[in-house]
Amino acid sequence: MTAESAAPLRKWPRRAAYAGIAGAAGLAVLLPTGTAGAGWFLAGHVLNVNGPRVYPVRVRACAGNRITLTRTPDTARSIPLSFVWPAGHAILGDVISIDRSIVTREIAEVTRGSLTTGVRGYTSSYVFEGDPSTARGLPFDEVVVPGELGPLPAWLVPPTTEQVDDTWIIAVHGRGAPRGEALRVLPTLAASGRHTLVVSYRNDAEAPPSYDRRFHLGHTEWRDVRSAIDYARSAGARNVILMGWSMGGAAILNLLREWDHDGYLRALVLDCPVVDWTETLRMNARQLNVPPVWTWTALRLIQHRLGVRGADLDYRPLAARLDVPTLVYVDHDDRTVAPAPTIEFAQAAPRHVILVETREAGHCRSWNLDPEAYEKRLADFLRSV
């Protein structure tokens, strides 16, 4: 799950829960006031792939290299972000001024389209758009990983150093995110001397759908990560480092449940991973004042649809089995994925886990809060494994 992809869940229309009409996964439904109906709606927002795209931020003014936007917690935060609208993409610079309802920021670069007053869009922590070459100046090959359900497109980025390690890094994006989520750190990964395989998985726009066209919260997506490992092995990788954001981290943790790596796994990097889906859903529901009984119903529906038990949604017990160096980023002010289970996971495996804690960044935004510090810690870790 990512900050952007979680928007449908976090945009739960409280007024609609009582009397209105709302869209869920492309279906117009009259939201019932009953517990079962509300739980069904909430569960759908977690599992449905094609949620409605929301454009909550309006351009109030745009001149030169300055843009004035609707004030939101994101637009008012002076960290690297992008502004995305239906026909374009721009990278935002520093905050210049803040008023009660508006924020003026620098425009670092308009990478696609034309910015004009009145355009509506959303902010994105991914910052960059495009591919490794257009966005980050890195050479790459577009390759195809043979997956369980069909071909999985991936970027293969070679190392940018003369000394090349035969360990590969496999980068796994979060729920509903594009491969571009990895663009922020690709230069650091390439500078480690390893090939990096940035993968897609089932239900991505460019990948095969699952049979039910639903997210499985890592419980089937892990098989596509395993396919990427097999691809790397067939291409000469001696072992692999797995890096995952949000639900990508959950897919990796599911993989560890199912895979006896027999020394082939060298290390893990997890950025705001979903360590406990139950606590994450409860946290989101509390933020939206959803009654606990609705949340309970949604959790039971999720378990039923995925064919899992409640215990299967909690990866903290895996800490006892962890046997490779692991770097974990967590932000205490994450409002999308519950941070406490991640901290508990790290504390349960102190011999193997390095925990990097930040505040006020939000979900998968520790890089955005301080790119230099994030990349230095990541580079140091990769040198050590």
Side-chain angles (χ1 to χ4, degrees):
M1 188 180 289
T2 66
E4 288 74 26
S5 64
L9 174 60
R10 298 180 68 188
K11 295 292 182 182
W12 170 277
R14 275 174 276 179
R15 62 187 181 279
Y18 297 100
I21 296 177
L27 298 176
V29 295
L30 179 64
L31 290 182
T33 58
T35 298
W40 186 276
F41 184 86
L42 185 57
H45 271 288
V46 177
L47 301 180
N48 290 343
V49 172
N50 298 312
R53 170 55 69 188
V54 178
Y55 297 97
V57 178
R58 188 168 74 90
V59 177
R60 302 297 185 89
C62 186
N65 68 336
R66 295 191 175 190
I67 186 172
T68 300
L69 300 166
T70 308
R71 178 174 178 172
T72 69
D74 273 358
T75 59
R77 189 173 295 165
S78 195
I79 61 174
L81 294 171
S82 60
F83 178 66
V84 185
W85 63 103
H89 174 274
I91 299 175
L92 302 179
D94 293 337
V95 170
I96 298 171
S97 64
I98 300 177
D99 204 341
R100 178 178 301 177
S101 61
I102 59 174
V103 176
T104 299
R105 299 183 64 138
E106 293 180 351
I107 302 172
E109 182 183 4
V110 177
T111 58
R112 176 171 58 88
S114 178
L115 267 177
T116 57
T117 301
V119 164
R120 299 192 70 91
Y122 61 90
T123 51
S124 168
S125 62
Y126 309 150
V127 181
F128 303 101
E129 183 184 71
D131 58 43
S133 177
T134 60
R136 305 298 270 155
L138 294 170
F140 78 103
D141 290 317
E142 186 82 45
V143 300
V144 175
V145 172
E148 179 182 62
L149 302 181
L152 302 168
W155 294 326
L156 179 56
V157 181
T160 53
T161 58
E162 292 185 4
Q163 186 173 359
V164 177
D165 192 326
D166 54 6
T167 297
W168 281 32
I169 300 169
I170 296 176
V172 188
H173 65 75
R175 173 188 178 276
R179 280 183 280 170
E181 185 167 26
L183 289 170
R184 290 171 291 181
V185 299
L186 267 186
T188 302
L189 301 183
S192 74
R194 282 101 175 200
H195 286 81
T196 300
L197 188 66
V198 185
V199 300
S200 59
Y201 52 76
R202 61 194 66 195
N203 291 315
D204 284 353
E206 56 198 344
S210 60
Y211 72 94
D212 57 0
R213 298 180 182 270
R214 288 181 178 140
F215 291 119
H216 281 228
L217 310 184
H219 285 270
T220 57
E221 292 85 357
W222 71 267
R223 295 173 185 153
D224 296 332
V225 180
R226 178 60 192 270
S227 294
I229 293 171
D230 292 341
Y231 178 92
R233 188 192 292 264
S234 69
R238 182 167 56 95
N239 44 36
V240 295
I241 297 170
L242 301 179
M243 181 171 189
W245 291 262
S246 194
M247 193 180 86
I252 289 170
L253 293 173
N254 262 289
L255 171 69
L256 297 186
R257 278 178 173 165
E258 306 290 341
W259 179 45
D260 180 6
H261 66 82
D262 196 25
Y264 196 71
L265 178 63
R266 187 162 178 173
L268 299 174
V269 181
L270 304 173
D271 191 328
C272 293
V274 188
V275 171
D276 185 351
W277 283 104
T278 297
E279 183 52 38
T280 289
L281 182 61
R282 286 174 176 161
M283 181 190 73
N284 278 270
R286 286 194 299 269
Q287 290 170 177
L288 298 170
N289 295 322
V290 174
V293 67
W294 292 8
T295 308
W296 183 91
T297 303
L299 284 166
R300 295 304 176 272
L301 285 167
I302 288 170
Q303 292 170 35
H304 175 72
R305 291 180 185 180
L306 300 186
V308 301
R309 302 166 303 158
D312 296 328
L313 300 173
D314 184 356
Y315 305 110
R316 279 171 289 198
L318 280 175
R321 294 166 45 190
L322 198 63
D323 60 354
V324 297
T326 302
L327 178 64
V328 177
Y329 294 91
V330 67
D331 189 82
H332 286 263
D333 296 303
D334 192 332
R335 295 293 179 262
T336 302
V337 167
T342 301
I343 295 168
E344 293 167 11
F345 177 90
Q347 291 172 342
R351 291 181 54 241
H352 296 292
V353 178
I354 299 171
L355 182 64
V356 181
E357 302 175 70
T358 57
R359 295 184 182 276
E360 300 183 358
H363 185 54
C364 290
R365 296 185 177 195
S366 296
W367 181 94
N368 304 71
L369 184 68
D370 191 337
E372 184 177 353
Y374 186 106
E375 292 171 8
K376 182 180 186 306
R377 183 59 68 96
L378 178 59
D380 288 346
F381 177 77
L382 294 174
R383 276 193 296 269
S384 73
V385 299

